[in-house]
Structures are given as C-alpha cells and as structure tokens.
Amino acid sequence: MSLPLSFQKEIVAELVAEDALLIMARGLGLRNILGAFLQIYCQPQNLVLLINTTAEEEATMKDDLISNVGQQAQHFRSITSEQSLAERSDLYRFGGVMAITSRILVMDLLTGRIPVHLITGILVSNAHRVTATTTEAFILRLYRQGNSQGFVKAFSDQPEVISAGFATLEKTLKLLYLRKVNLWPRFHVTVTESLESHTADVIEIRQPMTKSMKTIQASIIDCMDVCLQELRRSSSAIEIDVDDFTVEKALFKSFDVIIRRQLDPIWHRVSAKTKHLVGDLKTLRSLLSYLVSYDSVNFNLYLETILATYTATSNTYWLMTDPADKIFTTAKSRVFMSQAGYVDPEEPQLPPDMRPILEELPKWNVLSDIMDEVEAEMYHAPQPEGQDTVLIMAQDQRTCSQLKRYLSTQKTATTTRGKPLMRDLFQGYLRWKSNMKHFKDNLIYKKSVPMASNQAQTASTTRNAQPPNKRRRIRGGGNIAVVAKNPTPSFDQEAAAIASFVNEHSEIHPTTTQHIDLDQDLNDGDCFGLVEPSSLVVVRTYSGESDAKLLENIKPRFIIMYDPDPTFVRCIEVYKACNQGKQVRVYFTVYDNSVEEQLYLSALRREKDAFTKLIRDKSVMVLPIGDVHAQQIKDQSLLRNIHTRIAGGGKTGENAPLPRIVVDSREFRSSLPSILHSQGMTLDPATITVGDYVLSPNICVERKSISDLIQSFASGRLYTQVEAMAVHYSHPVLLIEFDQDKSFSLQDKSEIRADISVTEISSKLVLLTLAFPTLRLIWSSSVHATVEIFEDLKRSEDEPDVAAAQAVGVDPDQEIDSAFNLTPQDILRSLPGITSKNYKQVMSSVQNIRELAELDMASLSAMLGEGPAQTLWNFFNKDSRLDMI
C-alpha cells in the first residue's frame, strides 16, 4: 500500500524499527497505516495475529488488500467460531495474517493448538479498549510467556480515552507489554507541513438560527441547568463529586458515563428523583441535537410524544418548569397556530381554525443556494464527464433521507423546495395525532374494565369517607404537598378535535392516510433537479475513517458538509494532500451561536487537551523493566510454599504446582478467566456439561451475573443446572457475581416482601435452596472478589481432572469431542425439548437450526420421541403476535 504523505511514511518507519503504541488524531489515516503493516506481513513465512477488530473492519481491510496486492491478499484470513479445530490448525500452519476473535485465540493459546514460539507478532487494533479485564490483555500475557522475541504493535485513534483517568497511558502500555508510545496529533509539525502545503478551497457558512430555534435552545439549556441544580441538591446526602455537573459537560454523551460512574456503586441508595433527573438530562441533550437536525414538524411530534407518555407519577421534573412550557409552545408555533375563522387557501380540508406555519430549517435554504452555485460553476467551468461529483455529508441516515427528498423537489416561482415536503409531513402529523387519541382511549378503556368490578365493592366503604374536595389538616404539614399543573389536558383536547375532524373527512382527504416514510432510500445516481443527469449527487452519513475510502472512490469536485464533523475535515485534508492536482471546493455549514457549533469546537479542544496531557505523561511516566507478571507469579508461589510453623518461615519443601481450574470454554467470554490466570492459576479450557468452573473433584461452581440469574430463573434453566451439579458433586456452588462498578445489592429494601412470592428473585433463591439442601450460595461483589473466593475454596482440596470433568453429565457411550461448533450447540441446547440426552442425536441428523425448524411433526417424533418433539414443534410454530393481543 502506497503512502503518499511524508508523515504516514515516518509513522510506519518508526513502528517497523521499534514496537510501540501508536496514537493518532482521528481522520489522519490510521486505517492506511494498519493496512501497510498487513501488506508487509501478509507472507506465508509469517504468522501474524490481528486482534480486537470487528467483522466490518476485517472485511474492509480484506478489500483494501485485494485492491493493493491482488493474489497476495489470500494470506489474510479471518478465523471465527465457524471453523473447526482441524481447520484452525491448518490455517495456523499455512501462515500469513490471521484476524481472529479473542475468545477463540485465548483457548487455542491455552490448549497449545497454536505454536506460540512460531508467532511472528501481534497487531492490536483499537488499543484504547484494552483493559486489565479484557481478553486481549489475557492474550498478550499468554503470548509473552511463551514468546519473548515476537513483536507487538498497537494502534489507536482515541486520545481522549487513553488520557482520561489516573495513569491510564502507563497502565495501557503495561498491558500491551510495550515501553514506547508514538503520538501524532494534528498539530504535529510533520503533519502540519504535509496537509497545509495543498489545501482545499473552503467556504464556511455560518447560518443564523431562526428566532424560534434560539428560544427553544435557550429554554432547553435552562431546563438542563435546573435539573443539574436539583441533582446537586438531591446528591448532597450521598457524598458524590458534583464539580463535573455543569451544563457544558452535560452537552456531551460522555457526561452519562461520568455521572453513572459515581452513582452506580450507590445506586441502591439513590432516590427515585435523582434517577429520574439523570434520565431527564439525557432526554434534554437529545432535544438539543434534534432541534438542528429534525424539521419543525417532526421536532414538535417528538415533543408531543414525550408529553403523551407523561403521567402524574412519572416524576419528570423538567416538564413542570417554566422553560419547558416555553419549549412546547414555541415548537408548536413553528408548525401551526390557532386562528379563529381561518381557512387555508391551499389546503381547505385542514381542521378549522388551524393556520399552518411550517417553518423550514434554515440550512435547507443554504443547501439550495449552494446547489444553485454549484450548477452555475458547472456551467461556466465544465469538467469531463464523471468529475463533477457533488458529495453531501450529514450526521445520520434520517437527515440523509430527508435531504434526498428535499433535493428531488423542484422549486417554483411561488413556493420553496421544502414546502411540499413540509405539507406532507404536516398531514402525517395530523394522522399521528388522531391515532394517538384512539390509542389512549383504548388504553383507558382496557384499564377501566377490570376496575369496574371493584367499584361496587369499594362503594360501600367510601360512603362514610371524607369528601375528595376536603383536605385534612396535618400538624406541621402545610408545605408537604406541591400542587403542579398537568401539562396534558390541552394536548388531549387538541388531539380529540383533530381526531374528530380526520374521521369525518377521511373519505374527502385521502392524502392524510398516506404514511410518510423518511427512511426511504434513493439511488445515489438519481438527479435531484439541480444539476445535469450526467453529474452525480451523493448523500452519505459520516462513518469515521471509512470516509477516506469514500473520498478516494468518488473523487468529488464539490463537498458539502451539512453537519460539522472534525474527523471528516481531516479526511478532506488528507484527500487533498494526496490529490494535489484535483480541484476540490468544500462548503462547511454550521448554525451560528448554536450548541452544534459549541460541540464541534469542544471536540477539537478536547482532542488537543488529550494530546497535551499524553505528551506530558509520556515525559514523566515510569515503566518497570522486565516481565512484572512473571515476578508476581513467582512471589505468589513463594508465599504458598512458606509455612509459618517452621522456624524462620522456612519452605515446606519443593515448590508446589500452580493451582488448576477446569473452565468451561463458554466462560472465556467473561473477564474472570483472565483475572484467574493473572493471579497465578493454571486454566484448563474444556467443554463441560455440568457447571462453569470445576475447582476440585468435589466442588463445582455455576457462575451467574445478575442479568443471567434473572433470565435463568425465567427460562427454568437454572433449576436443571443446579440439579445436575447436586447429582454429580458433593459441594455444588451457585456464585452470584455483581459488577465491580455497580451497587452490591440485589434489590432495594422496599422491594423485599415478608412472604414468599414466585415472582420475586429473592423468593426464587429461597425456594431453590429448599429444593437442593446441598447447594451453597456465594455472593461476590466483583470479579476480583471471585478470584479470592476461588482461592479460599481450593485450599485443602485436590486438583481437578480435566477428563473426569468432561465426562460428568455425559452418557458413557457418547464420545466427548469438539467436532461441532460451540455457539450453535449452545443455541440448540437452550431450545425446549432438547436435553443432554438427545442433543447430539439432533446435531448428527440435521445440518443447522434452520433445517431443524423446518421439519414436520413426524420427522421430529422419529428423532426425539413424541413428547419432546411436540414441545419443540410448538415452540417453532408458535405465533408470538398472539401474546400481544
């Protein structure tokens, strides 16, 4: 892969010379850098592993290699759970670059299926995701234990993540077994010289928002400020840091992470009001984004959706404030207003006294003017056919679909291009409001029917009760009740009037019954009426580093950035620097003095501050020499062999072997095996039928997270699992593990009942222990606490045998093998009617689950027997829609 820019060549040269962690600014071509290393090592004499990538990224890298090296790209292969053990072993022997999933690789490393000493090196993509509990850190630890000569090269374009927290860069380097970091920000001297030597023609358009949009934006910010003040006030009793609770930080999605990081450990102590305030802040931030991306009709519809779901017990604090009232009234005035006796001359069939305003987005007119300018430029300075491409970039797919509809509409002398679109959207809004009224009426009717039978019983008890309009005086209770107006009556009255009108005139105005689909897709080659059909107008969404490939494929002459995006700006700079002779004009549009502009500038500032902090941390960080993990294992082994009853703390004798644990192969999706291995335990991965971890011949552990515990109780799977453990092991253990960052509480005290209830999780646990007296429940606050629990359980116990653990729960005449893929096997065994007795018979009879689902009742009966076959057939042929009636 050719790298035309000097800074990209320098980056590759540095990484080839010495292993390091590369951190680049987004948009500077990190994918090209990684692709260059794939091209270098894509040879049969190498065995290079690429980890921590997604399937989409692997497919993109494969396409890039094919376009650059042709047949040589056959040495780049993807390894997933679909390949069998024999196929994976053959691929390892063939060599090349292997993009492999982390769970498969860690199992192959532990079992020795892959020759660790023959691995040339490991390429770690998305290095910012590597933490102490991830499988990638486990892989690198196993790799370094068996191979100290191979290379490790890591790549990341998220400096904000690595710079956050305390010594995050130092911790990441330790996990990657690296001692050097290469930082390449946008303000790097070499990068600046490469990109600013040939710049594109940029026209920045700062479009003012309408007066109504400014009012709504200011009101939303006021609501956020009110919620933050109330959040600080309500959080004073639980001792959390409120310095981060500012409006500026609340504008970013990362604010949710900041606030939940503080509240999650004490979530069971947080009041309901505080929980609702956290959700309200997320809703308000969404409103700020929708204000500049949604049209006035859909924005008002979204607000009314929030209002329609409001109830007296919903505790939506911001809806009861004065700025919220201004938001709703102003948003409604952008769509229509009530005017007595008004009849619309263009749409006489609209509801009476309703005057459509239908305010268009200001950027629509800007886009129309830009396209007119592009058309004039094409006329006066024509280019060869195919070189007049216009590329329009937007933030999301909804905006792209709407822009396509807008551009496909012709402008007339009396109307704008957006007016027909707004009319259609308004008609769809009226139909939605009518349907919402019918939906609420049906919902109220269904709720009132069960209550009707109870009214007669309660009537006698309320005759002597206090009248509802009388309020009993309570000593000291003058300020207890806070009376707030209900914001929904006007909405309900308006919806009832519109519903009545639409029902009366549905046969006269059939247009209102049409569904307005904003997500319809148009061909990219369609002419939108503003340029010649020979030219091409492409509308796309931002997709990060993939936009660089889009620019190279399309080679646009005109680029319109409908929404600002820092990464795409860098992609344009790199594209122009690589195509110096290409004429490129960029139209950069942004709302002036808006939150959209603030977010763009804040993103640039945050990236710059992150690189500044990383540069400072790089100059002062201290990294130990040698393998720290190996020294820790040695120290732990020494402590195990010291006996305090021998004078001077002498050793008991020869070094005892490391503790062993048999781990089910499906458990490698979690972080517990990695932590167990880091504490000096030997793991034996195997496909075991009973339990998840076998600690000794007598102790078997079934590990459940909270979500898995609830699902297992709901499906009945936990009862079967505990029953199998109780039959084959003398000490079955159910380990309930909590998240380290979440509260160590199963449920709130107010949710615990005095009696047994089959619907309550704590009651189900009690019934489970009554059914299996030998079962032991162990509660673990985190994965690290689980490791300590396992160490305590294994003391004075014999080591487990892998073959014996695999044989438990399997018929003697059934051979234990791994010829079948584990993931489809798990899905099959979770189906009703499939048991440990018949699942292998099913796998031998059908190719996949789809073939099993298409079998008739007779074929299933011949395979499973009448009872299990009927259960499975009912599951496959059940219409789930009947449960919703």
Side-chain angles (χ1 to χ4, degrees):
M1 178 179 294
S2 60
L3 298 175
L5 301 181
S6 59
F7 77 89
Q8 294 178 344
K9 297 177 181 178
E10 186 175 343
I11 290 174
V12 173
E14 284 184 352
L15 274 180
V16 170
E18 184 178 0
D19 293 352
L21 166 62
L22 172 63
I23 304 177
M24 294 179 61
R26 287 182 294 275
L28 295 184
L30 180 62
R31 197 178 74 176
N32 294 337
I33 302 297
L34 184 56
F37 280 95
L38 295 181
Q39 184 176 342
I40 293 173
Y41 296 112
C42 199
Q43 303 290 340
Q45 62 269 22
N46 298 322
L47 179 56
V48 177
L49 305 178
L50 175 64
I51 61 175
N52 208 18
T53 58
T54 62
E56 182 181 358
E57 291 173 344
E58 293 175 10
T60 304
M61 295 175 189
K62 180 77 171 180
D63 295 339
D64 293 343
L65 276 177
I66 293 175
S67 62
N68 286 282
V69 299
Q71 292 296 325
Q72 188 179 345
Q74 65 180 344
H75 300 294
F76 178 81
R77 300 177 178 88
S78 297
I79 299 179
T80 61
S81 59
E82 297 179 359
Q83 282 94 355
S84 63
L85 297 180
E87 292 174 345
R88 295 205 302 269
S89 299
D90 292 339
L91 290 176
Y92 295 146
R93 288 195 299 267
F94 291 155
V97 179
M98 308 293 173
I100 183 171
T101 58
S102 299
R103 188 176 72 91
I104 297 297
L105 178 57
V106 73
M107 290 180 57
D108 289 347
L109 288 172
L110 287 171
T111 55
R113 298 190 187 104
I114 180 172
V116 181
H117 64 283
L118 296 180
I119 298 177
T120 309
I122 295 181
L123 301 175
V124 184
S125 180
N126 301 311
H128 53 275
R129 300 178 186 170
V130 178
T131 61
T133 58
T134 56
T135 310
E136 288 75 23
F138 191 9
I139 291 172
L140 292 170
R141 190 187 316 127
L142 293 173
Y143 169 64
R144 275 301 177 223
Q145 287 179 0
N147 188 336
S148 59
Q149 302 299 324
F151 67 80
V152 174
K153 303 183 189 301
F155 307 84
S156 175
D157 59 353
Q158 299 288 335
E160 298 90 347
V161 178
I162 300 180
S163 64
F166 176 74
T168 306
L169 176 60
E170 183 178 347
K171 296 175 184 176
T172 304
L173 289 175
K174 289 180 180 179
L175 295 173
L176 296 172
Y177 289 87
L178 294 172
R179 299 185 54 81
K180 184 180 179 182
V181 56
N182 296 337
L183 302 176
W184 287 84
R186 173 60 180 85
F187 55 83
H188 195 285
V189 176
T190 308
V191 177
T192 304
E193 293 176 352
S194 300
L195 299 183
E196 294 185 357
S197 58
H198 297 82
T199 58
D201 180 18
V202 181
I203 300 177
E204 183 176 352
I205 302 175
R206 304 173 64 86
Q207 173 64 33
M209 294 191 298
T210 63
K211 183 179 179 181
S212 300
M213 294 176 67
K214 292 180 181 179
T215 302
I216 295 175
Q217 177 179 269
S219 299
I220 294 176
I221 293 177
D222 290 341
C223 288
M224 295 181 71
D225 191 19
V226 170
C227 290
L228 287 171
Q229 291 179 8
E230 192 65 24
L231 184 62
R232 286 191 291 265
R233 187 180 302 111
S234 60
S235 302
S236 58
I238 53 180
E239 298 181 358
I240 63 174
D241 185 13
V242 297
D243 294 338
D244 292 330
F245 296 177
T246 62
V247 175
E248 182 179 3
K249 292 185 178 180
L251 298 177
F252 294 93
K253 293 181 179 179
S254 59
F255 180 77
D256 294 337
V257 180
I258 295 174
I259 191 171
R260 289 304 297 264
R261 186 184 295 123
Q262 297 191 51
L263 294 180
D264 279 345
I266 54 174
W267 193 251
H268 60 289
R269 294 167 46 198
V270 176
S271 63
K273 181 180 180 180
T274 302
K275 297 178 182 178
H276 283 291
L277 287 172
V278 174
D280 291 344
L281 287 171
K282 186 175 182 180
T283 302
L284 291 170
R285 186 174 60 251
S286 300
L287 288 178
L288 283 175
S289 174
Y290 297 157
L291 176 63
V292 296
S293 60
Y294 281 18
D295 57 84
S296 59
V297 175
N298 280 300
F299 183 75
N300 183 62
L301 187 147
Y302 180 79
L303 286 174
E304 292 194 357
T305 303
I306 297 176
L307 200 61
T309 58
Y310 172 81
T311 60
T313 59
S314 59
N315 294 327
T316 307
Y317 184 79
W318 70 276
L319 283 179
M320 313 308 298
T321 61
D322 292 335
D325 183 65
K326 188 178 295 185
I327 293 173
F328 284 94
T329 55
T330 308
K332 179 181 175 181
S333 65
R334 298 175 65 201
V335 181
F336 67 92
M337 60 181 298
S338 300
Q339 183 175 343
Y342 179 82
V343 177
D344 189 68
E346 299 181 9
E347 294 286 346
Q349 299 300 328
L350 288 179
D353 304 335
M354 179 177 290
R355 181 177 181 177
I357 304 299
L358 304 181
E359 178 182 283
E360 299 181 16
L361 286 174
K363 278 190 179 181
W364 286 3
N365 295 327
V366 173
L367 180 61
S368 179
D369 295 339
I370 292 175
M371 296 301 290
D372 291 339
E373 182 178 333
V374 168
E375 182 181 11
E377 181 71 18
M378 291 180 178
Y379 177 78
H380 293 293
Q383 297 289 330
E385 185 175 355
Q387 298 186 12
D388 277 339
T389 306
V390 181
L391 176 62
I392 303 175
M393 301 297 294
Q395 197 67 41
D396 50 41
Q397 187 59 46
R398 181 188 181 92
T399 304
C400 288
S401 301
Q402 198 170 67
L403 292 180
K404 291 176 183 179
R405 294 189 60 195
Y406 175 79
L407 294 175
S408 61
T409 306
Q410 292 286 351
K411 181 173 63 175
T412 64
T414 57
T415 62
T416 61
R417 292 188 177 93
K419 190 170 184 180
L421 173 60
M422 296 299 295
R423 288 281 183 179
D424 292 342
L425 293 174
F426 185 58
Q427 292 171 3
Y429 162 77
L430 295 178
R431 175 57 59 184
W432 170 85
K433 201 157 189 176
S434 173
N435 294 337
M436 180 60 68
K437 175 63 171 61
H438 298 321
F439 174 77
K440 295 189 71 173
D441 290 345
N442 294 335
L443 188 63
I444 294 174
Y445 174 75
K446 289 182 180 180
K447 289 183 178 180
S448 62
V449 170
M451 295 174 60
S453 59
N454 298 330
Q455 290 180 355
Q457 301 177 4
T458 58
S460 59
T461 60
T462 57
R463 289 173 183 170
N464 298 327
Q466 194 173 359
N469 59 345
K470 297 290 186 179
R471 190 172 64 134
R472 182 180 177 182
R473 290 187 61 86
I474 302 175
R475 185 183 302 272
N479 296 326
I480 289 180
V482 178
V483 181
K485 63 178 182 179
N486 189 346
T488 57
S490 60
F491 170 81
D492 295 335
Q493 296 173 4
E494 187 178 86
I498 293 177
S500 176
F501 180 83
V502 170
N503 291 333
E504 294 175 0
H505 297 80
S506 58
E507 70 281 355
I508 303 176
H509 198 193
T511 309
T512 57
T513 62
Q514 298 177 357
H515 175 65
I516 306 301
D517 187 10
L518 286 179
D519 295 329
Q520 63 180 353
D521 195 12
L522 302 176
N523 295 327
D524 295 327
D526 291 344
C527 173
F528 295 115
L530 301 177
V531 294
E532 294 296 329
S534 59
S535 301
L536 188 66
V537 178
V538 180
V539 184
R540 286 286 189 270
T541 59
Y542 295 117
S543 57
E545 287 283 343
S546 300
D547 293 333
K549 189 68 175 179
L550 174 67
L551 293 173
E552 290 292 340
N553 293 336
I554 297 178
K555 295 188 180 300
R557 181 184 175 188
F558 302 96
I559 302 175
I560 303 174
M561 295 184 63
Y562 186 81
D563 297 315
D565 185 77
T567 303
F568 189 72
V569 172
R570 310 273 175 72
C571 291
I572 295 176
E573 291 180 322
V574 173
Y575 168 72
K576 185 63 177 69
C578 296
N579 300 270
Q580 300 178 3
K582 177 72 175 179
Q583 296 182 3
V584 180
R585 180 181 298 176
V586 181
Y587 294 90
F588 183 88
T589 64
V590 64
Y591 284 109
D592 191 22
N593 295 325
S594 65
V595 174
E596 179 186 58
E597 180 184 19
Q598 177 67 22
L599 289 174
Y600 174 76
L601 297 177
S602 298
L604 294 176
R605 185 179 66 253
R606 290 174 64 197
E607 182 187 79
K608 182 180 178 181
D609 294 342
F611 272 112
T612 304
K613 185 177 184 297
L614 289 175
I615 293 172
R616 184 175 61 254
D617 293 344
K618 178 183 177 181
S619 63
V620 300
M621 68 179 180
V622 178
L623 292 176
I625 299 176
D627 191 351
V628 180
H629 176 260
Q631 184 63 37
Q632 291 176 351
I633 298 299
K634 184 178 179 180
D635 295 341
Q636 292 173 359
S637 177
L638 177 63
L639 292 176
R640 292 192 186 98
N641 297 323
I642 289 180
H643 202 294
T644 57
R645 302 195 65 176
I646 299 177
K651 294 185 177 180
T652 58
E654 296 183 359
N655 292 336
L658 296 177
R660 307 186 71 88
I661 296 179
V662 180
V663 184
D664 186 33
S665 56
R666 290 170 284 264
E667 276 296 302
F668 283 92
R669 301 186 182 98
S670 66
S671 59
L672 180 56
S674 175
I675 304 300
L676 288 172
H677 183 269
S678 67
Q679 296 300 315
M681 296 188 182
T682 302
L683 305 183
D684 294 323
T687 303
I688 56 179
T689 305
V690 179
D692 294 329
Y693 298 87
V694 179
L695 306 185
S696 72
N698 300 321
I699 301 177
C700 179
V701 178
E702 181 70 30
R703 174 179 168 271
K704 296 291 183 183
S705 62
I706 298 301
S707 58
D708 191 18
L709 179 68
I710 297 173
Q711 294 174 2
S712 299
F713 268 127
S715 62
R717 181 163 50 96
L718 182 59
Y719 184 91
T720 305
Q721 293 171 337
V722 173
E723 182 183 23
M725 288 196 301
V727 169
H728 296 95
Y729 292 93
S730 58
H731 300 297
V733 176
L734 175 61
L735 177 71
I736 303 174
E737 186 179 276
F738 289 77
D739 193 341
Q740 183 176 3
D741 299 327
K742 301 293 181 66
S743 61
F744 189 33
S745 174
L746 182 64
Q747 55 189 144
D748 193 74
K749 292 186 296 183
S750 59
E751 300 175 357
I752 300 178
R753 294 186 176 184
D755 54 346
I756 296 294
S757 174
V758 294
T759 60
E760 191 179 12
I761 185 68
S762 58
S763 299
K764 292 180 180 179
L765 287 173
V766 172
L767 295 175
L768 187 67
T769 55
L770 292 175
F772 302 99
T774 59
L775 178 67
R776 298 294 181 262
L777 299 184
I778 296 181
W779 304 83
S780 175
S781 60
S782 66
V783 63
H784 297 281
T786 302
V787 175
E788 297 179 359
I789 292 172
F790 280 7
E791 290 178 345
D792 293 337
L793 291 176
K794 283 186 64 64
R795 287 200 179 100
S796 303
E797 292 285 342
D798 296 333
E799 298 297 338
D801 182 70
V802 179
Q806 285 182 298
V808 170
V810 180
D811 292 340
D813 57 341
Q814 291 182 333
E815 182 182 357
I816 301 174
D817 56 47
S818 301
F820 302 102
N821 295 331
L822 296 178
T823 303
Q825 189 178 144
D826 292 342
I827 298 176
L828 175 66
R829 298 187 63 178
S830 64
L831 297 177
I834 303 298
T835 64
S836 59
K837 303 290 185 180
N838 59 22
Y839 79 97
K840 288 196 174 183
Q841 172 67 24
V842 175
M843 290 191 295
S844 302
S845 304
V846 297
Q847 293 292 329
N848 48 48
I849 296 179
R850 178 177 181 178
E851 181 180 346
L852 178 65
E854 293 175 351
L855 293 178
D856 55 12
M857 184 61 190
S859 301
L860 290 176
S861 299
M863 183 189 309
L864 303 174
E866 185 175 352
Q870 185 66 46
T871 303
L872 184 61
W873 191 88
N874 292 337
F875 173 77
F876 280 136
N877 295 274
K878 180 181 179 180
D879 190 356
S880 58
R881 293 174 296 182
L882 297 177
D883 297 337
M884 303 174 61
I885 300 178

